Amino acid sequence: MQPQIKILIYICFIISLFIIQKLAFYLFALLIIFILLSRIQISSLKKGGFTIGLFILFTFISNLFYSQGKIIYSTGSIFITEEAIKIATIRSSRIFLMVAGAKILTAGIPLETLLSSVAAIFKPFKKLRLPVDEFFSTMSLSVKCIPALEKYFTENFKNTSEGIKKGNVFLKAKILSQSLIPMFIETLQKPEVFFEDTNVNF
């Protein structure tokens, strides 16, 4: 399947998540998503999983209380209703489905190919004199320099934090913030350094 078609399907899927409010639809969508996720390597699914999981849990809990409806549990001034459970399930499932759908979309597709596919979808907007080519060219350059930026930052952080005890979290956080400043200055003064391994010419 062409990347452009996958992107359009994903966009339609996201729109349907905000239009359809029936719990049965979300349960069916979760079943399909889990089947598709089972075909993807676990290593790619683990990236950002803990943070996303915490956010989904927070979304579920924050929507669980004080909604009107049939009360199924109460203690003091806190109560949970059937409607609250439905709302919390739908909203947390919506976030999970959007994230899982994005992982399925990007699985096996290089990021540059994905960007060029999105650019192809937005080409009609050039007739409105919108800077589509310029925008996606900048995005492509940003994607190409990410590995170099990551390498530069990691080496700089390791050199700066040598000799610091493992338990000193606050000092490492301070060094982490201080390591970002030289990198930002370097990107402004000599941006070509971060494109040495690419085909980009300045």
Side-chain angles (χ1 to χ4, degrees):
M1 187 182 294
Q2 294 294 324
Q4 291 95 330
I5 298 174
K6 286 185 177 181
I7 293 168
L8 290 173
I9 291 173
Y10 178 71
I11 292 171
C12 293
F13 176 64
I14 296 299
I15 293 171
S16 68
L17 290 177
F18 286 92
I19 295 175
I20 303 174
Q21 300 295 324
K22 292 184 178 179
L23 187 59
F25 167 78
Y26 283 87
L27 294 175
F28 178 74
L30 284 169
L31 176 63
I32 300 299
I33 285 292
F34 278 121
I35 293 172
L36 294 174
L37 287 174
S38 65
R39 301 180 180 181
I40 301 174
Q41 292 182 354
I42 298 177
S43 57
S44 62
L45 296 176
K46 286 182 178 179
K47 295 179 181 178
F50 180 74
T51 305
I52 294 166
L54 284 178
F55 183 67
I56 293 172
L57 181 63
F58 173 78
T59 302
F60 182 82
I61 294 174
S62 62
N63 287 279
L64 198 58
F65 304 104
Y66 307 116
S67 291
Q68 298 299 320
K70 182 181 178 182
I71 297 175
I72 59 175
Y73 176 81
S74 65
T75 173
S77 60
I78 299 173
F79 61 89
I80 300 174
T81 64
E82 286 184 358
E83 186 66 20
I85 293 176
K86 179 183 176 182
I87 292 171
T89 303
I90 287 175
R91 290 179 180 175
S92 55
S93 297
R94 182 184 294 154
I95 294 171
F96 174 79
L97 289 168
M98 287 192 293
V99 174
K103 286 188 175 290
I104 294 169
L105 174 67
T106 56
I109 303 177
L111 195 52
E112 289 183 29
T113 304
L114 199 62
L115 279 174
S116 62
S117 301
V118 176
I121 293 172
F122 278 86
K123 260 189 177 181
F125 289 96
K126 290 173 65 177
K127 295 180 180 179
L128 301 175
R129 296 185 179 180
L130 293 176
V132 175
D133 291 336
E134 292 81 356
F135 174 78
F136 284 101
S137 294
T138 305
M139 288 288 292
S140 180
L141 287 173
S142 301
V143 168
K144 288 179 180 179
C145 75
I146 286 174
L149 285 169
E150 184 181 1
K151 181 180 177 182
Y152 177 91
F153 176 74
T154 303
E155 291 177 354
N156 193 22
F157 178 72
K158 283 182 179 179
N159 294 334
T160 311
S161 61
E162 281 183 359
I164 299 174
K165 294 181 180 180
K166 291 184 178 179
N168 203 332
V169 179
F170 293 104
L171 185 56
K172 282 198 172 186
K174 182 180 178 181
I175 293 172
L176 181 66
S177 61
Q178 290 175 346
S179 300
L180 288 170
I181 297 173
M183 185 179 72
F184 289 145
I185 294 172
E186 189 79 12
T187 55
L188 292 173
Q189 293 178 341
K190 299 178 181 179
E192 67 276 5
V193 172
F194 299 98
F195 295 94
E196 288 179 350
D197 297 330
T198 67
N199 296 323
V200 180
N201 297 317
F202 287 87

